[in-house]
Amino acid sequence: AFLFSSFLLTLCGITGWFEKIMKLVPVQIANAMLAGVLLQFALNAFTALQTDMGLVGVMILTYLIGKRFLPRYGIPMTFLMGTLYAFAAGHLGDQLPAFNMTMPVWTTPTFSLSVLLGVGLPLFIVTMASQNIPGLAVLRAHGYQTPASPLITWSGITGLLLAPFGGFAFNLAAITAAICMGKEIDPDPQKRYLAAIWAGIFYILVGLFGGTVTALFSVFPAELIMAIAGLALMGTISNALTGALSTEDTREAAFFTFVVTASGLTLFTVGAPFWGLLVGLAIHGFNRYRP
């Protein structure tokens, strides 16, 4: 199933279908979809106040101070202060996990038509709708006019090579991409790619020590994880909303895209980003139509 999904991703990239589709999406609607995808993370950060006001309050205060005086280091400072507060309050787990490396395991593929159609095809649709389309929207929203076809092609080829070893559904990782492109990364947009390189290095480390990292996250309180995820995306969400609603001609379509995406609507196993984009494009086309 994962090989079949990766094959379809590769085919989409090589043929240029994805590139042609994305050229039809106005940047305002792409921004609205991005904001809708990320909004839930920001809401969760403040929902966490209900269960641990002290921890989340300290993190929000640190974030605001860091954003004002040291914007590049605001999120690491927030995470550090949250960790120190959780430790002082006795909210961290008692036992640290064992430090073990995770090894890839070969799984020989077996053919099953029902699995290809029942799992592989939906996985391809979900990956495109929930990650690749928002991922490219992130690029466009930040002014990067990167060609889409090579990105989709190489993510598919990577999946074809690594799926038998447990590497599943490689994609443009919209949320990680959003974190790596903010103005606080570097004032010069030409140098922000370094953040993506470092993110890749950390992804590799997380993969090599997957079991240890998973156990380590269970040590932290859920409120800390929710708060740091939401606060890290605040700048991206506000910038995306600004771009989405900046033009009067596309404002209505962008707003519908935003609310449908943020609603979490899922129909026929396809997530809200796809339906938000579809609704926004339909309204945009209807408003532009002149009989």
Side-chain angles (χ1 to χ4, degrees), residues 10-32:
T10 306
L11 187 65
C12 251
I14 291 174
T15 57
W17 295 339
F18 185 69
E19 182 89 57
K20 293 174 183 176
I21 292 171
M22 289 308 298
K23 283 183 178 178
L24 301 175
V25 180
V27 66
Q28 294 87 351
I29 292 179
N31 269 309

Side-chain angles (χ1 to χ4, degrees), residues 131-205:
Q131 292 296 334
N132 287 341
I133 292 176
L136 197 68
V138 173
L139 284 165
R140 298 289 188 263
H142 286 82
Y144 298 103
Q145 300 303 317
T146 308
S149 292
L151 299 177
I152 303 301
T153 301
W154 279 108
S155 66
I157 290 173
T158 304
L160 287 172
L161 295 175
L162 299 183
F165 293 98
F168 303 146
F170 292 91
N171 55 70
L172 301 188
I175 295 168
T176 307
I179 294 174
C180 291
M181 291 187 210
K183 293 180 180 179
E184 63 276 5
I185 300 299
D186 197 294
D188 184 359
Q190 300 297 324
K191 296 180 181 178
R192 293 176 194 167
Y193 71 94
L194 292 170
I197 292 175
W198 277 107
I201 291 172
F202 286 122
Y203 265 135
I204 291 171
L205 291 174

Side-chain angles (χ1 to χ4, degrees), residues 44-124:
N44 287 340
F46 291 94
T47 303
L49 278 168
Q50 297 178 6
T51 51
D52 198 331
M53 183 173 292
L55 171 62
V56 180
V58 165
M59 293 179 70
I60 293 174
L61 183 61
T62 305
Y63 169 79
L64 293 173
I65 294 172
K67 188 79 173 175
R68 175 66 179 84
F69 297 105
L70 293 168
R72 183 176 294 184
Y73 305 103
I75 295 302
M77 288 167 53
T78 302
F79 182 68
L80 177 61
M81 287 300 297
T83 304
L84 292 174
Y85 182 94
F87 176 77
H91 293 168
L92 294 181
D94 298 329
Q95 188 174 359
L96 291 176
F99 190 74
N100 295 318
M101 182 173 284
T102 303
M103 299 301 294
V105 177
W106 171 267
T107 301
T108 302
T110 56
F111 180 80
S112 169
L113 183 61
S114 62
V115 170
L116 294 186
L117 299 179
V119 180
L121 184 60
L123 178 67
F124 161 72

